[in-house]
Amino acid sequence: MARRKKIYEGKAKILYEGPEPGTIVQYFKDDATAFNAQKKATIEGKGVLNNRLSEYFMTGLSTIGVPTHFIRRLNMREQLVRACEIIPLEIIVRNFAAGSLATRLGIEEGTALPRPIVEYCYKDDKLGDPLVTEEHIAAFGWASQQDMDDILSLALRVNDYMSGLMYGVGIRLVDFKIEIGRVYDGDFQRLVVADEISPDSCRLWDIETGQKLDKDVFRRDLGSLTDAYTEVARRLGVIPKSNGHSKPTLIN
Ligand code: UDP
């Protein structure tokens, strides 16, 4: 069998050339990193859960008309996606203060924000993904004004969809990060939600107890990350609610 061509290996995923032109295979690894990769671990089952959860969120978004790069899931750890040019920005949407915003502005974690706040970070690991403003984005040509209008609208639609979905299963969407890609259809360029949406890139707190069900469990040593992600997947019905075993069955 011919070996696939690896395009890129990141902290949590590997990208391979897809079977048709314009497609890419995203392979979800079990690796977890935090604090710009200063903290690292392999967490059994994380890749499988994130592959399923990202499929679930991306599919849901496309049913409400939000364009994404997702085509279909291939197996336990891989999904086929449209190749796109990633805009070098991390788009962060926040509903409650947490993490770097809480630290930067001295706001207590968990404080409800008066409205969703959208922030942009320049994607560069060497620089630690610094916070940037629309002035920097325009001046350095990372995205046009039209792109920025579209990105803001996509980010807020993803926030509405994800907040509602999570609220329905007793989870508060505190904040999340998305990445946006450009795809070309003939002469036209479109922006799509790309990369992944998973508990690696969201803050998810149980509404009743405040329990963290996201990557902060790993960042802050709060217990088993797999158990937290499994709980999210179970509540959403992405994996069976209960199968009588303590370990989840991750069906293909
Ligand atoms: N986030 C992410 N990747 C990053 C930085 C942030 O997925 O490289 C997510 C993070 O999980 C959280 C949100 O973006 O849901 C806001 O993160 P924050 O700026 O508070 O940074 P952190 O406290 O994680 O350093």
Side-chain angles (χ1 to χ4, degrees), residues 11-228:
K11 286 173 278 192
K13 296 187 292 298
I14 307 175
L15 304 184
Y16 296 99
E17 221 166 56
E20 297 119 42
T23 64
I24 283 179
V25 174
Q26 277 198 158
Y27 175 98
F28 287 75
K29 300 195 282 186
D30 279 344
D31 298 352
T33 63
F35 312 117
N36 208 6
Q38 286 170 44
K39 179 171 179 170
K40 287 186 201 170
T42 303
I43 292 166
E44 202 191 324
K46 178 176 88 84
V48 175
L49 286 159
N50 280 354
N51 186 29
R52 291 291 300 270
L53 284 164
S54 199
E55 169 193 24
Y56 182 76
F57 299 134
M58 295 279 184
T59 309
L61 283 168
S62 66
T63 62
I64 60 155
V66 175
T68 80
H69 72 159
F70 183 82
I71 301 173
R72 65 176 182 277
R73 188 164 59 85
L74 298 172
N75 54 48
M76 296 269 279
R77 287 187 181 272
E78 295 177 331
Q79 50 182 246
L80 188 68
V81 300
R82 271 193 79 162
C84 51
E85 215 176 271
I86 297 286
I87 294 180
L89 297 173
E90 302 207 323
I91 293 113
I92 293 172
V93 184
R94 302 178 182 273
N95 300 306
F96 294 84
S100 69
L101 175 106
T103 310
R104 199 183 327 126
L105 301 181
I107 304 175
E108 196 186 337
E109 281 215 314
T111 308
L113 299 172
R115 48 175 247 190
I117 295 178
V118 182
E119 295 177 343
Y120 306 100
C121 293
Y122 179 54
K123 256 172 76 71
D124 186 323
D125 283 340
K126 289 195 294 300
L127 301 175
D129 300 336
L131 186 69
V132 292
T133 68
E134 290 190 58
E135 281 287 296
H136 301 105
I137 297 167
F140 297 116
W142 297 323
S144 67
Q145 189 52 56
Q146 178 65 58
D147 289 338
M148 291 312 290
D149 293 347
D150 293 347
I151 288 172
L152 181 62
S153 143
L154 283 172
L156 294 175
R157 289 172 78 193
V158 173
N159 187 42
D160 284 347
Y161 171 75
M162 292 288 296
S163 296
L165 192 66
M166 291 299 174
Y167 182 72
V169 296
I171 295 174
R172 169 172 297 159
L173 178 66
V174 173
D175 58 28
F176 65 93
K177 182 263 308 186
I178 51 169
E179 296 187 20
I180 301 288
R182 296 176 210 280
V183 294
Y184 295 94
D185 283 323
D187 288 344
F188 294 95
Q189 170 208 282
R190 283 191 307 127
L191 298 185
V192 299
V193 178
D195 188 52
E196 71 177 276
I197 304 179
S198 73
D200 267 8
S201 52
C202 300
R203 280 199 171 91
L204 305 169
W205 298 356
D206 181 88
I207 289 178
E208 298 272 304
T209 65
Q211 188 194 355
K212 293 184 181 14
L213 299 169
D214 56 60
K215 208 165 94 175
D216 275 349
V217 171
F218 169 69
R219 292 190 190 100
R220 304 179 189 188
D221 295 320
L222 300 175
S224 159
L225 194 71
T226 318
D227 285 356

